[in-house]
Amino acid sequence: MSKSFRPRRSVLYVPAANEKALAKAPSLACDVVVIDLEDAVAPSAKEEARARLAGVFAGRGEGGPDLVIRVNALSSPWGVDDLAAAAACAPNAILLPKVDGPKDVLAADDLLDSLDADPAIRLWTMIETPKGMLNLGPIAELGRDRAARLACLVAGTNDLAKETGVRMTPDRRWLIAWLQQIVLAARAGGLDALDGVCNDFRDLDAFARECDDGRAMGFDGKTLIHPAQIEPANRAFSPSPDEIAEARAIVDAFALPENVGKGVIQIGGRMVERLHLAQAERLLSRA
Ligand code: COA
Ligand code: MG
């Protein structure tokens, strides 16, 4: 994979209608801030929220989190103006909500091209509608087409629950099958995958459990709603000291003269193949 690695462990939504929160966003320790024009902004505040974007980007210094803008759906009364305003800010990415299929991504891509938007601006998509779930394969396939800008799938668990009637429980047992489909599709398309939000932002134990589950499912990181969730998400989605030690042991073992020509070895009674070496090298490069 040629793209350079950027961590996406902690991805915090900040409502564009909340001036105070917005001012804080660039200095937060999350990997990404998503400035939200969609679900977190009331219809009466949409224009005012959009007008704030330019100010946030004008004050953007070096470093700090990547900045992503979540626009309203292009089919909504605000979507086209949102996309134009977002493109003018040149964020790292624009997050499209309520994506039902590849056509929704391509429509946004065409509009960005017609606006002469910076080709470096990526598209991220929410996966949060029943149709979006059913069309995951064709959506993710766009990740193989660099011109389509697609870089990341984001689980929208609140909307999925609303649209399907699935019950949200602390262990997320009725959602897990869909979350795993999202990770699978992302990998098929060479995309990043982000887990949905944990609404109960005061319960950091429950949050830590969700992070561990998300990591175990293969997600690259978690979407967040509150600054208190940043540090635990960063921790959960970073390689642990044990994982780093295990990866080093694998790399060291394959470097031994007696193992140079071998495809498979054993370490402490466990089979280790060269695919594990590749996995270990990838983990160390990210640690
Ligand atoms: N981004 C940046 N700062 C945030 C924040 C966020 N998402 N959520 C809270 N804060 C700030 C508050 O402004 C407050 O700052 P202050 O101490 O300077 O006043 C501080 O963190 C503590 O906030 P707290 O009192 O614990 O929560 P709250 O009642 O102000 O806000 C929510 C609670 C849920 C309304 C708020 O966290 C929020 O809007 N989250 C994002 C919602 C969203 O974007 N949803 C769409 C995607 S699902
Ligand atoms: Mg949503």
Side-chain angles (χ1 to χ4, degrees), residues 12-15 18 20-22 24-25 28 36 39-40 70 158 197 199 201-202 224-227:
L12 176 69
Y13 289 107
V14 182
N18 183 342
K20 205 166 150 198
L22 215 49
K24 240 180 263 177
L28 294 170
D36 188 26
D39 282 342
R70 184 164 77 172
N158 282 322
V197 300
N199 296 332
F201 63 88
R202 298 272 185 242
L224 317 177
I225 53 165
H226 193 279

Side-chain angles (χ1 to χ4, degrees), residues 13 36 38-39 70 97-98 126 128 155-160:
Y13 289 107
D36 188 26
E38 202 228 4
D39 282 342
R70 184 164 77 172
K98 315 284 190 294
M126 298 299 302
E128 57 183 351
T157 38
N158 282 322
D159 268 295
L160 271 173

Side-chain angles (χ1 to χ4, degrees), residues 9-74:
R9 301 164 302 174
S10 50
V11 177
L12 176 69
Y13 289 107
V14 182
N18 183 342
E19 212 159 355
K20 205 166 150 198
L22 215 49
K24 240 180 263 177
S27 63
L28 294 170
C30 50
D31 291 328
V32 184
V33 164
V34 177
I35 302 166
D36 188 26
L37 300 173
E38 202 228 4
D39 282 342
V41 179
S44 60
K46 295 284 189 195
E47 272 87 13
E48 195 189 335
R50 185 195 302 134
R52 284 217 184 88
L53 291 177
V56 177
F57 283 80
R60 186 184 194 182
E62 286 297 303
D66 278 4
L67 297 182
V68 172
I69 298 170
R70 184 164 77 172
V71 296
N72 287 282
L74 288 185

Side-chain angles (χ1 to χ4, degrees), residues 122-145:
R122 303 286 94 202
L123 285 174
W124 293 12
T125 66
M126 298 299 302
I127 301 297
E128 57 183 351
T129 67
K131 281 186 185 167
M133 278 303 309
L134 290 172
N135 288 323
L136 261 174
I139 293 170
E141 192 59 31
L142 294 176
R144 299 293 172 193
D145 174 2

Side-chain angles (χ1 to χ4, degrees), residues 254 263 272-280:
F254 271 108
V272 182
E273 297 176 310
R274 282 193 180 265
L275 69 91
H276 298 113
L277 174 62
Q279 242 178 319

